[in-house]
Amino acid sequence: DVYDEVVRRNPGETEFHQAVQEVLASLGPVVSKHPQYANANVIRTLCEPERQIIFRVPWVNDQGGVEVNRGFRVEFNSALGPFKGGLRFHPSVYLGIVKFLGFEQIFKNALTGMPIGGGKGGSDFDPKGKSDGEVMRFCQSFMTELYRHIGEYTDVPAGDIGVGGREIGYLFGQYKRITNRYESGVLTGKAIAWGGSQVRTEATGYGTVFFVDEMLKAKSQSLDGKRVVVSGSGNVATYAIEKVHQLGGTVVACSDSTGYVVDEGGIDLETLVDLKQVQ
């Protein structure tokens, strides 16, 4: 019944429908053991975001023309603490994807044991091929609306696809300018120089490999001598490859949005980083 209601209330948002279906299926044993959750409609409440924000983001390109994108922030659940979740800048972003990611973020954050809720945001803006100036002007326009809805005790965005240290820096600078407050806790993923944390850049890629290593240990195995394929070649994938190599594995393939490369002798990390981040 809950799933049918989600589909009815959120037409066309396939990714969100699938996320809800997967979570509800996995929660079955919990609800059977604790029927009070079903009786109190906790699951139905979880599936409905506390707040959904959609806004226009006009910005000026290098030719002086005005471009318009759409911005989103879905503040899904703050039962445990402030909403927390990344911002994604990619042409594929629409409300359904942001909702799906925000819904899963609730459970992801709860598993940390920390007092943080779940949310997600982003825009259909594509930073690829844009100059630093264009990215800066877009980020400033985006934050000019977003700042009203976030704060260290309210909602704490981070980076995601298309939003790295550069974008977070522009967003934080605009937040500081508008609010006249230096709130380091309002955005995570900042550079060390303005309140970021050490190893933040490496954490996701390293963590992925540590998780796989622990799974292998449970089967009395290790990464040593294993052939590994890594999906992606951005920030997370780069550090995942580095850690696999450190633990004795060999990454033989990686990918990006345009295709993939295979090297049976092992991906050369320095060449990959130069290709993706410099060239």
Side-chain angles (χ1 to χ4, degrees):
D1 290 348
V2 174
Y3 175 71
D4 290 343
E5 186 174 301
V6 166
V7 173
R8 179 177 58 79
R9 286 185 169 186
N10 305 275
E13 296 174 4
T14 311
E15 295 87 355
F16 181 45
H17 301 165
Q18 290 173 344
V20 170
Q21 191 172 37
E22 289 171 8
V23 170
L24 293 182
S26 65
L27 287 177
V30 179
V31 177
S32 299
K33 193 173 181 181
H34 302 281
Q36 67 268 27
Y37 295 148
N39 296 338
N41 258 344
V42 170
I43 295 171
R44 181 174 269 105
T45 305
L46 269 173
C47 292
E48 188 65 30
E50 290 184 30
R51 197 172 295 114
Q52 301 178 60
I53 302 147
I54 305 175
F55 52 96
R56 180 183 61 190
V57 188
W59 56 280
V60 179
N61 61 31
D62 286 344
Q63 288 71 48
V66 176
E67 309 258 358
V68 180
N69 286 95
R70 182 174 276 189
F72 304 90
R73 188 67 183 173
V74 174
E75 297 176 333
F76 221 114
N77 195 286
S78 62
L80 295 181
F83 305 102
K84 182 87 185 81
L87 296 170
R88 175 174 294 191
F89 292 170
H90 193 272
S92 66
V93 170
Y94 79 109
L95 186 61
I97 281 184
V98 176
K99 229 183 276 187
F100 136 65
L101 293 167
F103 180 66
E104 292 198 335
Q105 196 79 36
I106 302 168
F107 305 97
K108 177 179 171 182
N109 290 349
L111 284 170
T112 67
M114 298 172 68
I116 44 178
K120 204 75 177 181
S123 172
D124 55 6
F125 171 77
D126 187 0
K128 281 188 177 179
K130 304 291 192 301
S131 69
D132 285 349
E134 288 175 323
V135 172
M136 180 185 72
R137 290 189 291 276
F138 171 82
C139 288
Q140 289 174 338
S141 181
F142 184 83
M143 183 54 78
T144 299
E145 173 59 33
L146 187 67
Y147 91 95
R148 312 167 196 276
H149 311 289
I150 63 176
E152 57 187 326
Y153 302 113
T154 309
D155 185 355
V156 182
D160 194 80
I161 293 171
V163 180
R166 174 185 63 171
E167 289 76 17
I168 291 291
Y170 292 148
L171 291 165
F172 182 62
Q174 184 72 352
Y175 181 85
K176 186 163 64 73
R177 173 193 285 167
I178 293 171
T179 63
N180 197 32
R181 293 193 301 270
Y182 198 109
E183 292 180 2
S184 288
V186 74
L187 282 164
T188 54
K190 300 182 296 300
I192 300 290
W194 49 86
S197 54
Q198 291 182 325
V199 200
R200 169 67 174 75
T201 313
E202 300 91 338
T204 312
Y206 282 4
T208 301
V209 178
F210 289 146
F211 186 73
V212 172
D213 195 42
E214 290 299 318
M215 293 172 69
L216 287 168
K217 284 178 184 175
K219 299 289 186 181
S220 302
Q221 299 180 47
S222 74
L223 277 167
D224 192 28
K226 291 278 194 299
R227 294 170 75 251
V228 179
V229 173
V230 173
S231 174
S233 54
N235 177 62
V236 176
T238 298
Y239 288 110
I241 292 170
E242 180 183 294
K243 187 55 66 176
V244 167
H245 287 171
Q246 288 174 1
L247 294 178
T250 302
V251 176
V252 297
C254 63
S255 61
D256 70 5
S257 58
T258 61
Y260 61 89
V261 291
V262 178
D263 186 343
E264 292 291 347
I267 297 291
D268 185 292
L269 190 57
E270 285 188 15
T271 302
L272 178 67
V273 170
D274 179 63
L275 182 67
K276 293 297 293 184
Q277 296 184 13
V278 180
Q279 299 187 42

